[in-house]
Amino acid sequence: MNGTKAEISAIAEFLKKGPLNPETEVVVGCPQCYLAYSRETVPANIGIAAQNCYKAAKGAFTGEISPGMIKDLGCEWVILGHSERRNVFGESDELISEKIGFALSEGLKVIPCFGEQLAERESGRTQEVVFAQLAAMKPNISDWSRVVLAYEPVWAIGTGKTATPEQAQEVHAQLRQWLRENVSEEVANTTRIIYGGSVTAGTCKELASQPDIDGFLVGGASLKPDFVAIINAKEEENENDRERENEREKMKERKRKRERKRKRKREKTKEKERENERERERKRKRKREKTKEKERENERERERKRKRKNERERDKTKEKQKMTEKERENEREREREKTKERERENERERKRK
């Protein structure tokens, strides 16, 4: 509960002066009596959020404000379930969930707040408490694209105790995993989860470097010009990210060049091996051809030998045949001589008689 018109004008001045990171969405939450003045005074590119609203459009709810009234003043955001609403005014998880659901149904964008108190933190019940608060909200959240979750560890607000960036990141990572398991992968990846544990210009940069911290719910520091540094914390981190990304790209490019060089070397080696293999294959082919030619020549030689042998055999056979015929002729001649001799003998014998 802070602010006067003069103070709001001073805040508007340092916001106008900036400069503000154009990639960071800035929303200023102010008391309901100053919503109209804030909307008129603060730059148009900065959103205005009411710090509370009720779960009904109208009725006997003295002191409350409805989503329609907020929209009628040109504002489109509302913060619900802030730690003081829970712990000072006793708002329950169920009431906050109903208010979230009604605000969304009336077209507002909602920043639901939740977080554990010191005793819950020290007793190790952080996960149990924040998961129960999320589970109570879930049934009434109809459009996650119009919801920015704000985790605010109550024990780190005005107690002198501070959450380290690692502690904050641990809870944010658990919250994102809860969304993944209980809503959807898409909602887990796209829903912004901002941190609200006494963020200052001195702590914002290290907090902004955590992968699951998407922004901040800033308290007292938002009333001072240091708020500009908090708004731009992510820009510096983004610049660092870009530098790291550029360095990674350079390293990747160097790696790709080395890989291309190794690939060309491997290709040359493979081509040389293929050429060597082709040369070996040509040698083997020539050797096979020579072997085949030698075998053919040997076969031709064997064939010539067979022919010569066959010719000799034929000659021998012919010679033998010739000799046999001559012998037969001689035999016949002898037979004839013998016959003649017998005939002469017989003739002589007849003459003697």
Side-chain angles (χ1 to χ4, degrees):
M1 191 168 63
N2 289 291
T4 62
K5 282 188 175 182
E7 290 172 339
I8 292 171
S9 296
I11 293 171
E13 277 304 311
F14 66 67
L15 289 175
K16 288 176 185 177
K17 186 177 179 181
L20 306 181
N21 178 10
E23 295 181 6
T24 298
E25 184 174 13
V26 182
V27 177
V28 177
C30 58
Q32 62 192 52
C33 58
Y34 293 124
L35 285 173
Y37 182 74
S38 296
R39 182 63 287 166
E40 293 169 1
T41 309
V42 172
N45 63 329
I46 295 176
I48 301 296
Q51 295 178 354
N52 186 37
C53 74
Y54 197 55
K55 61 177 183 177
K58 58 177 65 176
F61 306 109
T62 303
E64 289 291 348
I65 184 174
S66 71
M69 295 174 183
I70 296 169
K71 290 178 66 180
D72 193 40
L73 295 173
C75 307
E76 55 182 13
W77 287 89
V78 64
I79 300 170
L80 293 172
H82 193 277
S83 59
E84 284 116 24
R85 299 303 308 177
R86 293 174 181 272
N87 302 315
V88 177
F89 296 98
E91 292 188 1
S92 66
D93 290 342
E94 291 71 24
L95 174 60
I96 292 165
S97 178
E98 290 172 356
K99 291 163 70 170
I100 292 169
F102 188 70
L104 288 171
S105 71
E106 291 289 291
L108 286 180
K109 299 174 185 178
V110 181
I111 303 174
C113 302
F114 57 98
E116 80 281 17
Q117 297 190 64
L118 181 59
E120 293 165 336
R121 174 76 184 189
E122 291 180 341
S123 62
R125 295 179 57 231
T126 295
Q127 195 174 96
E128 174 192 342
V129 171
V130 296
F131 283 4
Q133 291 169 333
L134 273 179
M137 297 176 198
K138 179 189 167 187
N140 286 307
I141 297 180
S142 55
D143 182 359
W144 283 93
S145 68
R146 290 190 288 122
V147 172
V148 174
L149 297 177
Y151 167 63
E152 47 171 0
V154 184
W155 57 273
I157 302 174
T159 63
K161 295 179 179 289
T162 56
T164 65
E166 291 73 23
Q167 287 174 319
Q169 164 60 24
E170 180 184 17
V171 178
H172 277 241
Q174 292 168 352
L175 294 171
R176 203 172 298 281
Q177 185 60 30
W178 187 94
L179 292 174
R180 188 171 288 111
E181 294 174 357
N182 293 277
V183 185
S184 73
E185 181 74 25
E186 181 183 4
V187 167
N189 293 335
T190 57
T191 299
R192 289 172 289 180
I193 307 175
I194 62 178
Y195 177 72
S198 295
V199 178
T200 67
T203 61
C204 63
K205 291 180 182 178
E206 196 172 357
L207 286 165
S209 69
Q210 303 303 312
D212 289 294
I213 296 179
D214 301 313
F216 306 116
L217 181 69
V218 187
S222 66
L223 307 175
K224 307 169 186 176
D226 281 352
F227 186 38
V228 173
I230 297 172
I231 292 170
N232 293 330
K234 203 70 177 178
E235 179 179 37
E236 184 172 331
E237 180 58 29
N238 289 340
E239 182 61 33
N240 292 336
D241 286 344
R242 284 191 290 270
E243 288 177 2
R244 287 191 291 268
E245 183 62 28
N246 288 337
E247 186 57 33
R248 283 194 293 268
E249 283 301 318
K250 287 178 182 178
M251 291 176 66
K252 286 179 182 178
E253 183 57 30
R254 288 194 291 269
K255 185 177 179 181
R256 285 192 289 267
K257 284 182 179 179
R258 289 194 298 269
E259 183 57 33
R260 286 194 294 268
K261 188 175 180 180
R262 286 194 292 265
K263 187 176 180 181
R264 286 194 297 269
K265 188 175 180 180
R266 287 195 300 269
E267 286 299 321
K268 285 183 180 179
T269 302
K270 286 181 180 179
E271 182 56 33
K272 189 173 180 180
E273 289 175 353
R274 287 193 291 267
E275 183 56 36
N276 290 337
E277 181 59 29
R278 286 193 291 267
E279 182 60 28
R280 288 192 293 270
E281 182 57 31
R282 285 193 291 268
K283 287 181 178 180
R284 287 194 293 267
K285 188 175 180 181
R286 287 195 295 269
K287 187 175 180 180
R288 287 194 299 269
E289 287 297 324
K290 285 182 179 180
T291 301
K292 286 181 180 179
E293 182 58 32
K294 189 173 182 180
E295 288 175 353
R296 287 193 292 267
E297 182 59 35
N298 291 338
E299 182 60 29
R300 286 193 292 268
E301 182 61 29
R302 287 193 293 271
E303 183 62 27
R304 285 193 294 270
K305 287 181 178 180
R306 282 194 297 270
K307 284 182 179 181
R308 287 194 297 269
K309 184 178 179 181
N310 291 338
E311 287 174 356
R312 287 194 298 270
E313 288 293 327
R314 284 193 299 270
D315 290 343
K316 284 181 181 180
T317 301
K318 286 180 181 181
E319 184 66 28
K320 188 175 181 181
Q321 287 173 348
K322 285 179 182 180
M323 290 178 68
T324 302
E325 182 63 30
K326 188 174 181 180
E327 286 174 355
R328 282 196 297 270
E329 181 62 32
N330 291 335
E331 182 65 27
R332 283 192 297 271
E333 183 65 31
R334 282 192 297 273
E335 285 296 324
R336 283 192 298 271
E337 286 296 324
K338 285 181 180 180
T339 301
K340 286 180 180 182
E341 182 63 33
R342 281 194 300 272
E343 288 175 352
R344 283 193 296 272
E345 182 64 33
N346 289 337
E347 182 63 31
R348 283 194 296 273
E349 184 66 32
R350 280 191 302 273
K351 283 181 179 181
R352 279 193 302 269
K353 290 179 178 183

